Amino acid sequence: MPIIKVKPGQKVKLEDIDPDDTGKYENKDEANGILARNIKQIAELQNVLYAEGKHALLIVLQAMDAGGKDGTIRKIMSGINPQGVRVTSFKQPTEEELAHDFLWRIHQAVPRRGIIGVFNRSHYEDVLVVRVHNLVPKRVWQQRYEHINNFERLLAGNGVTILKFYLHISKEEQKERFLARLEQPHKRWKFNPADLDERNLWNDYMRAFEDAFERCSTDVAPWYIVPANRKWYRNVAISETILETLTGLNLKYPKPVEGLDDLVIP
Ligand code: AMP
Ligand code: MG
């Protein structure tokens, strides 16, 4: 199965989704050709998004460690005017962040109109790592699905279009990528031994992801599950979804002020 848009309330079994799938693409070269074209068009539409200043686009990326969040951002946002993009990476909350509700830090990072915002991890950590590690009691994280849906509806009602992508890699692929991090000097800094603890909790994470998809994929903020073992498929599939979404916004340059044709610059 290629990239899936989860329907509201749809039960997802990640086990049944092949992370090696490449959809309609046969090979990397073909996909990369389309990707380059998509990136160019996204960059052009981003320019209109900025000029018009009516909509914001929020792209949420979630995955297991080494799932490709950083690589996706690097690839797909390349070529876009840096003034029009805002990337936020969510790490372990600070003491101050923990002293507030879990959406406090998230809300501040939501892109203003005219901007494409990218979340590298997000408020979903609060029903993923937090749930898997029992960082708060169950009755607390249980309520968060509804809080998240309400929050996302608030954003959508205020001009923010939301796309959420889960980069679906296999446990085996994660191992390969960890090994690559260990072996290649320029990747070593990325290896965090603590990631192995998370790897041990793989099945718990899969359950937590599945619940998040079932409960928080909505018409205004759908979840997409992207087979992501092949980076080239991941990139082309995500770029396509972003492009379709931007196209659907029907963006228009604002009308120039009147009388420009007769204007003489002294
Ligand atoms: P990285 O993305 O590799 O820089 O790692 C960031 C770490 O922060 C990951 O282990 C996340 O699970 C963790 N993290 C992000 N958000 C939260 C949160 N709300 N609560 C606890 N840990 C979090
Ligand atoms: Mg990491």
Side-chain angles (χ1 to χ4, degrees), residues 104-120:
W104 180 73
R105 65 173 183 165
I106 308 293
H107 207 159
Q108 298 184 61
V110 170
R112 60 162 67 202
R113 287 184 269 274
I115 301 289
I116 298 181
V118 184
F119 284 180
N120 183 339

Side-chain angles (χ1 to χ4, degrees), residues 255-263:
K255 270 212 182 77
V257 287
E258 306 251 328
L260 285 186
D261 290 340
D262 308 325
L263 192 74

Side-chain angles (χ1 to χ4, degrees), residues 134-249:
N134 301 305
L135 299 182
V136 300
K138 182 171 183 182
R139 66 181 158 72
V140 174
W141 61 253
Q142 274 285 3
Q143 300 175 43
R144 289 184 171 170
Y145 300 100
E146 196 189 335
H147 292 149
I148 288 174
N149 288 340
N150 289 335
F151 171 65
E152 292 177 351
R153 201 174 317 122
L154 166 79
L155 299 183
N158 284 275
V160 185
T161 297
I162 307 170
L163 294 173
K164 303 179 294 199
F165 295 103
Y166 169 65
L167 316 180
H168 180 46
I169 59 164
S170 60
K171 201 174 175 190
E172 193 48 43
E173 178 68 18
Q174 187 194 51
K175 183 174 178 178
E176 296 298 317
R177 294 185 186 184
F178 281 169
L179 287 172
R181 285 183 180 182
L182 284 173
E183 281 157 16
Q184 299 176 36
H186 68 284
K187 286 189 175 169
R188 271 206 157 181
W189 66 275
K190 265 201 162 185
F191 188 83
N192 177 359
D195 290 350
L196 296 180
D197 300 331
E198 305 312 306
R199 178 175 168 81
N200 279 331
L201 296 165
W202 186 274
N203 291 337
D204 293 351
Y205 271 103
M206 293 304 111
R207 297 297 88 73
F209 272 115
E210 287 168 351
D211 281 354
F213 303 148
E214 181 184 338
R215 302 183 63 173
C216 298
S217 196
T218 59
D219 287 329
V220 293
W223 267 108
Y224 291 84
I225 299 170
V226 190
N229 275 2
R230 312 286 158 111
K231 295 171 184 168
W232 54 265
Y233 176 70
R234 171 198 80 199
N235 291 338
V236 77
I238 293 178
S239 70
E240 224 160 63
T241 309
I242 294 174
L243 181 56
E244 276 168 18
T245 303
L246 285 173
T247 306
L249 288 179

